[in-house]
Amino acid sequence: GESVGLHLPTLSVQEGDNSIINCAYSNSASDYFIWYKQESGKGPQFIIDIRSNMDKRQGQRVTVLLNKTVKHLSLQIAATQPGDSAVYFCAEGEGNKLVFGAGTILRVKS
Amino acid sequence: DTGVSQNPRHKITKRGQNVTFRCDPISEHNRLYWYRQTLGQGPEFLTYFQNEAQLEKSRLLSDRFSAERPKGSFSTLEIQRTEQGDSAMYLCASSLNRAGEQYFGPGTRLTVT
């Protein structure tokens, strides 16, 4: 499968703790942002999105925060579980395409 | 399974050969996208279809790459005269009516030897 993470930042958390994954984006004109989860050997899995006119959106166990002033996006995962272990990508929407960031590895320790 | 499907999942080819990949999007989705992903990187946009019309192509898509979506349903991506630098995971995604909330397939891993 896909072996990622040779040079990706890694976040290690204890099972049950909350995780916060951060992302800096570049285009202030992007009108939406998306978080994806990618497990080894699989395609990216949609988690949650947020439009640029919002600063917070909540899903099931996840919250996305958008700070347009500093062009920063974060994904908060509550009560992190071993199944959350993966690479997480933020993506910004530019017209009809997504521009992905570099990714962060999340490792959940049991 | 009603998600995006891609075939084949793996392809090994010799340099100079042509390869073709297929993507079947989620059935009601009118938008289809191709991306390429190399090790340790996020996916990079290649091209986008709305129904059967190819509306946008990245500069990454050289003349050796061509994509079609003849009936507005499945799509094919062909790479002619493959080079070792073409080795990557080729991902297809689809969405309904808006560019956000794209759903990805499992990808086709291409290895050019």
Side-chain angles (χ1 to χ4, degrees):
Chain A
E2 180 81 26
S3 176
V4 297
L6 295 178
H7 302 290
L8 296 180
T10 300
L11 175 66
S12 293
V13 299
Q14 196 67 38
E15 181 179 359
D17 287 352
N18 296 335
S19 303
I20 300 177
I21 302 171
N22 296 302
C23 175
Y25 64 91
S26 57
N27 187 354
S28 57
S30 294
D31 52 6
Y32 58 94
F33 304 86
I34 307 178
W35 280 100
Y36 282 91
K37 171 187 179 184
Q38 188 172 27
E39 297 173 282
S40 182
K42 297 184 179 180
Q45 176 187 350
F46 176 89
I47 301 173
I48 190 168
D49 63 353
I50 186 168
R51 298 205 67 85
S52 60
N53 60 355
M54 303 170 68
D55 52 22
K56 180 179 180 179
R57 188 165 186 224
Q58 289 185 290
Q60 188 175 15
R61 272 200 316 120
V62 295
T63 300
V64 56
L65 299 178
L66 175 63
N67 184 331
K68 293 182 288 293
T69 303
V70 295
K71 292 194 275 189
H72 183 268
L73 193 68
S74 69
L75 177 71
Q76 300 177 3
I77 305 173
T80 313
Q81 302 167 1
D84 295 327
S85 294
V87 179
Y88 288 79
F89 292 99
C90 67
E92 49 186 310
E94 294 184 8
N96 295 309
K97 66 183 181 185
L98 296 177
V99 177
F100 282 78
T104 297
I105 299 171
L106 176 64
R107 289 203 175 107
V108 182
K109 297 175 285 187
S110 299
Chain B
D1 189 344
T2 57
V4 178
S5 62
Q6 292 186 246
N7 289 287
R9 294 293 311 278
H10 303 273
K11 178 71 177 177
I12 299 174
T13 192
K14 293 185 177 179
R15 190 167 49 128
Q17 298 296 304
N18 300 342
V19 294
T20 300
F21 310 140
R22 177 177 169 127
C23 170
D24 287 89
I26 294 171
S27 59
E28 65 270 24
H29 285 186
N30 58 342
R31 295 179 177 226
L32 187 147
Y33 312 81
W34 285 97
Y35 290 82
R36 179 171 67 188
Q37 186 176 28
T38 53
L39 203 61
Q41 303 294 318
E44 294 175 295
F45 172 81
L46 293 178
T47 191
Y48 152 66
F49 290 85
Q50 184 162 329
N51 300 311
E52 65 276 8
Q54 187 175 19
L55 298 184
E56 190 168 347
K57 292 198 295 185
S58 164
R59 282 173 288 182
L60 292 175
L61 213 64
S62 77
D63 291 345
R64 297 184 296 106
F65 287 69
S66 62
E68 294 181 343
R69 194 183 183 199
K71 298 181 181 178
S73 56
F74 73 92
S75 175
T76 58
L77 177 68
E78 181 183 15
I79 309 174
Q80 296 182 324
R81 304 180 303 282
T82 52
E83 302 173 356
Q84 286 188 319
D86 297 331
S87 295
M89 176 78 84
Y90 289 84
L91 293 161
C92 175
S94 70
S95 68
L96 179 63
N97 293 330
R98 65 186 186 101
E101 202 163 342
Q102 295 180 23
Y103 292 91
F104 282 81
T108 294
R109 176 172 293 285
L110 173 66
T111 302
V112 182
T113 62

